[in-house]
Amino acid sequence: RRVNRLILLLTMLVLAGCAGDRSILDPAGQAARDVALVWWVMLTFFTVVFIGVIALWLYAFKRKHHEHTAAQERKIARRWIIGGGILLPVFSVSALLMFGIPAGKRMLPLPLSEPPEVIEVIGHQWWWEVRYPGAAGGEVVTSNQLIMPAGEPVDFHVTSADVIHAFWIPRLGGKVDMLPGRVNVIRLEADEPGIFDAQCAEFCGTQHAHMDLYVEAVGREEFEAWLADRQGERLAELAVANDEFSQARETFVSTCAACHSVAGLSTATIGPDLSDIGARPMLGGGVLPMEEGAIQYWLENHQTLKPSNKMPSINYMDTATLESLGAWLETLTP
Ligand code: CUA
């Protein structure tokens, strides 16, 4: 009874790993289903191989000793080498290839009758720059969040501004390296609207673990509306909408604007674009959830929350200044 319960508990623990925001075994798109299928085929195949090896091992213990002539020994050895050493691997690797090639092909940017949406994703130490060059009213730029249309293929053009990162949305498909000086393309599709987790999948420095990307697939109309809300003019109006924050804007322009852009106020590209920061679900690449006061908390503690991130400490500013800066940035919600 106790053993049964233990087995049940272990099974539940193992299966618990199959669901969740980052599980390849919980696919939400065709490319991810292909990856999951390859995974299950491999697991099944190698479980059979494992059981076979254990069975042979046990058989070798039990087997009665036979006297063989040298010629017979050679014959038996040759049979094992040809069967187990050549035929079995050739057969099994070819079988896996039959699953792998079409799966990989579907993630390539093959020509489509309708050209897909293109989203550019650029890795930085340690944040994500996301660009929409095809937006109807002109290019849209955001950071650390990726909104994509659901139910249609999207081509992700990925690259890096510094070291090697990797782009990976586990529930949508395979991962792809982000290399400085080169653009790699991966085609992914989300079946349904939903929120997916993504994470840099290549060690890229001390804060690699704090390089989360919020991914949300939405319907076509909602996607177009989201882009329209982020047109340069709309964002520039938003930045100067509240008169009470004129002091905060001055602080931003004299200090933060050296690295960050906010539409209408600055165009720097060293740090993340902040034009719609108030509407993002998290801060610092997943370090803090976005809530009231979170930006101020980040401004005061970012080197403790995310040590050695590239933003210099601004603790020399007084609390009132940081508070109004944080409060103003929170209003940047298209
Ligand atoms: Cu970027 Cu790891």
Side-chain angles (χ1 to χ4, degrees), residues 165-203:
H165 304 268
F167 177 72
W168 189 30
I169 311 172
R171 293 191 59 210
L172 294 189
K175 58 183 88 160
V176 60
D177 277 340
M178 310 174 89
L179 307 167
R182 187 195 154 87
V183 176
N184 282 335
V185 183
I186 187 169
R187 177 169 294 164
L188 301 174
E189 179 172 342
D191 297 332
E192 304 279 341
I195 293 171
F196 310 104
D197 239 14
Q199 157 72 33
C200 178
E202 181 76 52
F203 182 72

Side-chain angles (χ1 to χ4, degrees), residues 9-296:
L9 184 73
L10 283 173
T11 314
M12 278 162 68
L13 277 175
V14 170
L15 288 178
C18 299
D21 291 345
R22 292 185 182 179
S23 176
I24 63 156
L25 300 182
D26 191 11
Q30 188 52 48
R33 269 192 295 280
D34 288 334
V35 172
L37 177 67
V38 172
W39 191 89
W40 284 112
V41 169
M42 281 178 73
L43 178 75
T44 311
F45 180 79
F46 290 111
T47 303
V48 172
V49 170
F50 177 73
I51 292 169
V53 169
I54 296 293
L56 280 174
W57 181 63
L58 293 174
Y59 171 72
F61 276 119
K62 289 235 168 145
R63 190 169 162 263
K64 285 201 197 84
H65 189 69
H66 293 285
E67 288 297 333
H68 289 296
T69 63
Q72 277 172 323
E73 288 278 2
R74 266 201 300 279
K75 202 173 159 197
I76 293 169
R78 203 177 304 135
R79 215 181 281 161
W80 277 105
I81 290 169
I82 292 173
I86 299 173
L87 291 180
L88 184 66
V90 166
F91 165 76
S92 55
V93 171
S94 307
L96 285 175
L97 217 57
M98 274 163 48
F99 287 97
I101 288 176
K105 218 171 178 184
R106 271 193 280 271
M107 285 182 253
L108 292 175
L110 301 172
L112 290 178
S113 53
E114 189 97 351
E117 188 73 35
V118 170
I119 301 178
E120 296 172 358
V121 187
I122 301 141
H124 295 257
Q125 283 177 312
W126 292 280
W127 57 280
W128 305 84
E129 178 183 345
V130 182
R131 309 185 82 97
Y132 300 84
E139 189 178 47
V140 164
V141 185
T142 189
S143 321
N144 291 338
Q145 63 173 349
L146 194 166
I147 309 300
M148 62 185 279
E152 58 181 277
V154 178
D155 278 1
F156 293 95
H157 290 214
V158 309
T159 187
S160 166
D162 38 49
V163 301
I164 300 176
H165 304 268
F167 177 72
W168 189 30
I169 311 172
R171 293 191 59 210
L172 294 189
K175 58 183 88 160
V176 60
D177 277 340
M178 310 174 89
L179 307 167
R182 187 195 154 87
V183 176
N184 282 335
V185 183
I186 187 169
R187 177 169 294 164
L188 301 174
E189 179 172 342
D191 297 332
E192 304 279 341
I195 293 171
F196 310 104
D197 239 14
Q199 157 72 33
C200 178
E202 181 76 52
F203 182 72
C204 54
T206 49
Q207 291 300 335
H208 159 69
H210 287 145
M211 205 170 152
D212 287 9
L213 176 65
Y214 172 87
V215 179
E216 186 174 354
V218 297
R220 196 12 102 167
E221 265 174 46
E222 200 182 326
F223 178 67
E224 301 283 355
W226 185 88
L227 287 175
D229 280 343
R230 281 158 181 78
Q231 283 306 314
E233 262 171 52
R234 300 273 290 267
L235 291 175
E237 275 169 33
L238 180 68
V240 296
N242 287 296
D243 287 335
E244 52 174 316
F245 292 119
S246 57
Q247 190 64 47
R249 272 191 294 273
E250 268 174 44
T251 310
F252 174 82
V253 170
S254 65
T255 314
C256 321
C259 299
H260 294 284
S261 64
V262 162
L265 297 180
S266 93
T267 54
T269 54
I270 295 170
D273 184 297
L274 304 178
S275 305
D276 68 342
I277 187 169
R280 294 177 199 163
M282 61 195 186
L283 276 176
V287 171
L288 288 176
M290 182 65 88
E291 51 196 19
E292 211 185 322
I295 299 183
Q296 183 193 347

